[in-house]
Amino acid sequence: MKKTIFAATTSLAIMVAPAFADEALPAPPTEPYYAPEVTTCDAVDLQIYFEPGTAELTSFARDAIRETREQLSGCAVLNIDATSKAGDADTEAAKLSLAEARRATVMQELRAHGIQSAKTNLKTDVSADSAKVIMARGVDVKMKAEPAIIG
């Protein structure tokens, strides 16, 4: 009889042990969980503005290009369309020259950050009138991208 009671008590203790084990688990986290962002390779529109009469990138423009590189990490750039503007120059020849210098500066900086495409469309727009000169001193870059295929 003692063996039967001991066996029954032991069996009962073994069956109840998992219920007590749940109480030993840590409490659930109190901070919310945020899933990591999934890299999407959407189209990117980048507008780079220049100081009047210059083709040198500002620190803000460099930061914007750096952020674009981070946004496009894991993506393959399919197409780059770059339109440069230089409405702040005096003559037509000066506008063309300044616009081309600005576009070359932006494209060089994009390449330096690993952003390049086999298909690149380069345009120059010097048709801005005097009322829109402030907005006509930059390079507008539109990029299409897709997830990179490795292998």
Side-chain angles (χ1 to χ4, degrees):
M1 173 99 169
K2 287 183 181 181
K3 287 183 181 181
T4 307
I5 294 174
F6 179 72
T9 308
T10 305
S11 298
L12 186 61
I14 291 173
M15 287 190 290
V16 176
F20 292 120
D22 287 341
E23 293 177 12
L25 293 176
T30 57
E31 296 294 319
Y33 173 74
Y34 297 102
E37 285 187 31
V38 178
T39 301
T40 58
C41 299
D42 296 329
V44 176
D45 291 340
L46 180 64
Q47 296 178 333
I48 304 295
Y49 291 101
F50 291 85
E51 294 291 329
T54 69
E56 295 178 20
L57 291 174
T58 63
S59 61
F60 181 77
R62 290 182 195 281
D63 290 342
I65 291 173
R66 233 176 274 124
E67 288 175 15
T68 301
R69 177 196 63 203
E70 292 170 9
Q71 182 180 353
L72 291 174
S73 70
C75 301
V77 179
L78 301 175
N79 188 16
I80 297 176
D81 292 326
T83 304
S84 57
K85 302 172 193 168
D88 53 327
D90 295 333
T91 65
E92 191 77 18
K95 287 180 182 181
L96 286 170
S97 176
L98 185 57
E100 289 175 10
R102 287 175 175 168
R103 185 181 58 234
T105 300
V106 170
M107 296 306 290
Q108 179 181 355
E109 190 72 13
L110 288 172
R111 279 191 300 275
H113 286 285
I115 302 171
Q116 54 190 355
S117 172
K119 187 176 179 186
T120 304
N121 300 317
L122 305 175
K123 300 175 199 163
T124 304
D125 180 11
V126 292
S127 63
D129 59 3
S130 59
K132 297 180 181 178
V133 168
I134 293 175
M135 298 307 289
R137 55 174 204 222
V139 178
D140 295 336
V141 182
K142 296 180 186 298
M143 294 176 256
K144 290 182 188 175
E146 69 178 12
I149 299 172
I150 301 173

